[in-house]
Amino acid sequence: KSVVSGGSNNTASGLVSVVSGGSNNEASGDDSVVTGGFGNKASGIYSAVTGGDTNKASGSYSAVSGGGSNGASGDYSAVSGGASNTASDTASSVSGGAFNKASMMFSSVSGGVYNTASGSLSAVNGGRYNEASGYASAANGGKNNEASGYDSAANGGYNNTASDNESVVHGGRYNAASGPGSAVNGGKYNAASGKYSTVIGGKGKIASQENSVV
């Protein structure tokens, strides 16, 4: 039996669905729940929206905990708050911020604005305009950083790229780690393109040979 226990203009149309407050809310998925807020929709099986406004939980077992205009469309996906965030694949999550996207399986964005986790098992931990597109990649803060290689990381700074397998950039700006296992440790306009090469800060340095350090 479905239940609407409070609020106004609420609808519980799914099998054993519940709307317990707020207004203009809808629980249309079987065993779905909306506990309050305004204009929220829980349409997936066992989905839940627990507050905020204009949030949608459409994936099976998905959840949106608050904020505004957030969407959890992947199965087992979750958006914990913020505004205009989306978790669109299986077990993806966005913890807050605004205009963030977790679009692949087990991807996550922990906050900030306009960040994207588009690789499986990828993570973006704050900052803005960052992207983790490689498998198990991470972009940890900063601005306009991209980790596109397998198990790569861009850790802070801005306009840095880690594009090959297990490559990493630790801060600075306009640095690029493009060789497998390469690293750039700060500075600016540096490039580590050789296999297992390293640039230790500074400006305009290039490590292009295998195992080279500059």
Side-chain angles (χ1 to χ4, degrees), residues 110-202:
S110 300
V113 293
Y114 293 104
N115 296 310
T116 303
S118 57
S120 296
L121 292 168
S122 65
V124 178
N125 298 310
R128 50 185 174 161
Y129 299 102
N130 298 309
E131 182 170 6
S133 58
Y135 180 92
S137 62
N140 298 312
K143 176 183 177 183
N144 289 330
N145 297 310
E146 183 177 3
S148 58
Y150 173 94
D151 201 25
S152 63
N155 298 317
Y158 64 93
N159 293 100
N160 297 310
T161 59
S163 58
D164 210 333
N165 296 345
E166 299 179 333
S167 61
V168 60
V169 177
H170 296 294
R173 51 184 173 163
Y174 298 101
N175 296 310
S178 59
S182 63
V184 178
N185 298 317
K188 56 185 178 180
Y189 302 107
N190 297 310
S193 57
K195 186 176 182 179
Y196 304 118
S197 62
T198 302
V199 176
I200 306 173

Side-chain angles (χ1 to χ4, degrees), residues 26-117:
E26 181 180 355
S28 59
D30 292 349
D31 295 284
S32 63
V33 177
V34 178
T35 59
F38 173 83
N40 297 310
K41 295 182 179 181
S43 59
I45 298 172
Y46 293 102
S47 62
V49 178
T50 55
D53 65 273
T54 324
N55 296 309
K56 297 179 181 180
S58 57
S60 298
Y61 301 91
S62 63
V64 178
S65 302
S69 301
N70 297 308
S73 58
D75 293 346
Y76 303 96
S77 64
V79 177
S80 301
S84 300
N85 298 309
T86 58
S88 57
D89 208 341
T90 303
S92 60
S93 64
V94 178
S95 302
F99 303 101
N100 297 308
K101 297 178 181 179
S103 60
M104 285 293 284
M105 292 188 299
F106 303 101
S107 61
S108 65
V109 178
S110 300
V113 293
Y114 293 104
N115 296 310
T116 303

